[in-house]
Structures are given as C-alpha cells and as structure tokens.
C-alpha cells in the first residue's frame, strides 16, 4: 500500500532531495571483487506518488516517463556505488524504490515468486494480496456469513476461506462465464464445503434482510471486465442492497477506483457542503412556465429518488477508514464501513431533526 498522495513541493522536499542525491552521486565505494561484481547483476524499478511524479516530469524534462528516468538515475548511482552491473533479462537481484514527499521505500524481493502468486488459484482475478487485505479488514469471525455480491472469479472468497476457514462464504455474480470460472477455482482450491455460488443481480440479491455478517466487494473498474451500466449511476442502488442484507454492526469493505472513491466521499457530506470550494451556491427559482414538460418531471422525480436512496444508505453506515492500494498501473482505495444499529440510526435521525430548527426563546 502506498502512502497518502502528496502535492508537488519545492526541490527542498525530502523525496526530491533523495532523487537528486541518487542522480548526482558519483563517489564510488570500496571496489568489489570481480566475482562479486559479476554475480550482482541487478534490475531497478521505481515508482512515485502522483504529486511527486508530476513534479519530476516538470523538473527533469525527460523524454521517458518520469518514473523510468528516475529509475535509470537510481540504477546508475547504485551501479557506481556498489559495482553492480545492470541486467534487464535475467537479473540476480531486483531493487524496487518508491518515492513520495514524505519518505523513500527501498525493497529487495527475497523470493523468486511474486507475493501475489497462489498455487491454489487456477484462474487469477483480483490481485491476491489486495483480496487478502480486504478479507482482513472484514473482521471475519468463526461462524460469520460472508458475502461477495460481485464475486467474479472468486479471488476474495478464496483468500478469505483459506485464512478464515471457520466462516461460511457466499458468492454472487450476474455473469454465467464468471461464475463458471469461479466454480473451477473453488473446486481447484478444494473449498467446495466453504464456498457456494449463485447467479443473481447485485441490485436484487436473493437474500433475507440482515442475514449477512460481512460484505466484501471489488466494484468493477471496467478495465479487465466490461460493465454494461454506468457504475456511478448504479452505485447508490448497489449500496442500498448491500446495506439491506447486512446485519446491524456488520462490516462492509469495498474496493473502488480513485474516481468512484472521490464520488462516494462527496456523497457522504451534507448536501450543503457538496459544492466544490469556491463554487457559488445556485439558488432554485420558481419557474414562470405554467406547465412542466413530462421529461422535466421524470428527471426531477429520478433525482429525488436518487437523493433519498443516498440518504438512506449513509444514514446506516459509519466510515471506518480509507486505504490506498496499488493495482499495478491502476491505483484504487479500499473503503471500510460498519452498519449502524437501528436504535442508534433512529436517534441520529431524531437529533438531526431537532437541530434543523433554531431553538425557541
């Protein structure tokens, strides 16, 4: 997981200074032996937070993308310092560097196999390490009933069932091919007694109200698998159905694209605070037209319904954290929520109602 995104700063920021030091370091260390230098064939990778990458692209003026240019500079500096030879095809050692304006992380893989590699998954979907992190955030207990209502190839269910085997797992998806591949994965992992699969729509789950302890879901980004409807438009209705089947004090964990993450955080704010900073308020005016058209009426009714759905959802959920994650070329966020018990939710609504009017003298 990456640290929080940072805005571009001046070259005096720690990360920029580290980058400059790496690219300008020319003082060699103790000369290694010929055998050691020959054995240490290395390959270098570099990533940077989005704010820092914009700064680097502006300052370096490189023909290559900023992260590639920075990776090359770090590789040259390490080669001079350590006497290593750069080798891209069959390296003996790989060095990963991640920079942002707060810190610099350097990692060297110990194992040949990637951390996300799993010998019990036949067809990979979501990156296994991210799926495991989502299951961990779900607070799964012995006897819990766990639902993935858009399970795809079932990676989240497989990761959860392997580490928390004393729970019961239910996967739902609306695509026959996805469910078929998920079923193959479940059988390959020998988890048929822990996981069952059903075909249904995420907006019409065939489950009783408050029958699920944990809901974990990777909301499709539309990149690996095509989605037929606008995810942003459908999201309030998807969340409403998830909240319906989730028991009071249950846990909801979602993996969201960066754009959808921002949209959902915006929906959680009070309506008067949803305008962007600096944007003037727009006052609604009475229309002078004697009659509204049917299209305007339908649009107003749909907008009103959508507002009611959002209000219903966010009156039932308490945010418990947002965790940025990297999916390779794509960045995303894991959102965690708890469902409010009915009595608490009712008290909150009453308090809001009481405070909406000024106290009388």
């Amino acid at each position: 997981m990456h640290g929080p995104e940072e805005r571009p700063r001046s070259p005096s920021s720690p990360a920029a200074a580290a980058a400059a030091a790496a690219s300008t370091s020319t003082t060699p260390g103790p000369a290694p032996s010929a055998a050691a230098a020959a054995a240490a064939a290395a390959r270098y990778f570099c990533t940077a937070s989005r704010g820092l990458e914009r700064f680097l692209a502006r300052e370096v003026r490189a023909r290559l993308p900023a992260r590639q240019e920075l990776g090359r500079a770090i590789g040259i500096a390490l080669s001079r310092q350590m006497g290593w030879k750069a080798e891209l095809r069959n390296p003996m050692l790989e060095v990963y560097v991640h920079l942002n304006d707060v810190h610099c992380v350097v990692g060297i893989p110990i194992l040949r196999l990637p951390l996300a590699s799993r010998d019990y998954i036949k067809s990979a979907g979501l990156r296994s390490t991210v799926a495991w992190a989502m299951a961990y955030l779900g607070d799964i207990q012995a006897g819990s009933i766990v639902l993935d209502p858009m399970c795809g190839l079932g990676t989240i269910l497989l990761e959860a069932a392997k580490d928390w085997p004393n729970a019961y797992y239910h996967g739902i998806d609306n695509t026959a091919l996805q469910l078929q591949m998920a079923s193959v994965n479940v059988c390959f992992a020998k988890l048929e007694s822990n996981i069952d699969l059903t075909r249904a729509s995420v907006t019409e789950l065939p489950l009783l109200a408050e029958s699920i302890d944990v809901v974990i879901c990777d909301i499709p980004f539309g990149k690996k698998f095509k989605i037929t409807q606008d995810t942003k438009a459908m999201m309030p209705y998807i969340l409403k159905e998830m909240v319906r089947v989730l028991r009071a004090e249950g846990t909801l964990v979602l993996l969201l694209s960066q754009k959808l993450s921002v949209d959902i955080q915006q929906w959680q704010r009070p309506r008067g605070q949803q305008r962007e900073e600096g944007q003037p308020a727009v006052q609604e005016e009475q229309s002078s037209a004697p009659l509204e058209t049917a299209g305007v009426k339908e649009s107003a009714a749909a907008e009103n319904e959508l507002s009611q759905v959002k209000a219903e959802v966010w009156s039932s959920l308490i945010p418990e954290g947002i965790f940025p994650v990297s999916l390779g070329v794509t960045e995303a966020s894991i959102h965690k929520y708890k469902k409010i018990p009915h009595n608490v939710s009712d008290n909150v609504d009453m308090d809001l109602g009481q405070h909406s009017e000024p106290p009388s003298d």
Side-chain angles (χ1 to χ4, degrees), residues 149 172-174 198-206 229 234 241:
I172 291 178
D173 204 280
N174 201 28
T198 303
R199 185 176 182 183
S201 170
V202 67
T203 57
E204 296 178 358
L205 298 173
Q229 292 177 300
M234 291 298 299
E241 190 67 352

Side-chain angles (χ1 to χ4, degrees), residues 14 19 22 45 54 68-69 82 185 245 265-266 279 305 352:
F45 298 90
R54 287 193 294 268
Q68 292 184 26
E69 183 69 16
M82 307 299 296
N185 274 340
V245 301
Q265 292 177 67
Q266 186 78 358
Q279 182 178 351
E305 178 189 357
L352 290 174

Side-chain angles (χ1 to χ4, degrees), residues 255-320:
L255 179 64
L256 304 170
S257 66
Q258 283 191 320
K259 185 176 185 307
L260 196 54
S261 173
V262 171
D263 289 336
I264 285 186
Q265 292 177 67
Q266 186 78 358
W267 294 344
Q268 292 174 242
R269 298 175 185 172
R271 190 164 186 174
Q273 298 178 10
Q274 290 184 5
R275 297 187 308 274
E276 294 183 2
E277 186 176 351
Q279 182 178 351
V282 178
Q283 294 184 350
E284 298 181 0
E285 297 181 357
Q286 294 285 341
S287 174
S288 58
L291 293 174
E292 292 179 314
T293 64
V296 172
K297 287 183 178 179
E298 290 177 2
S299 177
E303 183 66 27
N304 185 53
E305 178 189 357
L306 186 61
S307 297
Q308 291 179 354
V309 171
K310 290 179 181 178
E312 181 181 341
V313 167
W314 298 121
S315 66
S316 303
L317 296 176
I318 297 177
E320 290 214 334

